[in-house]
Amino acid sequence: MVVTPDPSAAAGARYTAGAAGPYGLLACVPDGATLILHSYAGRYAIEGTALCTVAHPGASPSDAGDADIRPAVAIGDTRTMQQDVSYGVRQLADVALRALSPGINDPTTAQDAIFHL
């Protein structure tokens, strides 16, 4: 079974965030099935594209099965550092790069940003 973003939840929303975390997602998967993630927190949630696939042994890929993990995946308008660690790293890297630009030239701020990484 391929799980895609819920069209009503994805309307106007752009980013995925595994609100329940990986263990919350696994709790939604039946015993013996395999969860294959195609996305991660902070990625764009595009209607019709797969977030993950739940593979049941011996079942065809078109078989819907009995797992629905959509409630365990939050889709929102913005990225958050609590759900998406790479977003916080990106923000600190942006601060460091701007601090080293010729117009600002603030090596102390750049150094502090690097130390926080």
Side-chain angles (χ1 to χ4, degrees), residues 1-98:
M1 168 181 74
V2 176
V3 179
T4 59
D6 182 9
S8 62
R14 301 181 300 193
Y15 298 105
T16 60
Y23 297 110
L25 292 173
L26 290 176
C28 297
V29 177
D31 291 337
T34 302
L35 175 68
I36 303 166
L37 296 174
H38 302 293
S39 187
Y40 57 89
R43 296 282 309 251
Y44 284 104
I46 301 169
E47 186 179 342
T49 60
L51 295 174
C52 67
T53 302
V54 178
H56 297 276
S60 68
S62 62
D63 185 15
D66 56 358
D68 189 4
I69 68 162
R70 283 190 195 121
V73 178
I75 298 177
D77 293 333
T78 59
R79 297 167 76 178
T80 64
M81 288 185 284
Q82 290 80 12
Q83 298 289 341
D84 182 9
V85 176
S86 65
Y87 182 56
V89 171
R90 177 68 182 253
Q91 287 181 320
L92 285 171
D94 287 348
V95 168
L97 286 172
R98 287 188 185 109

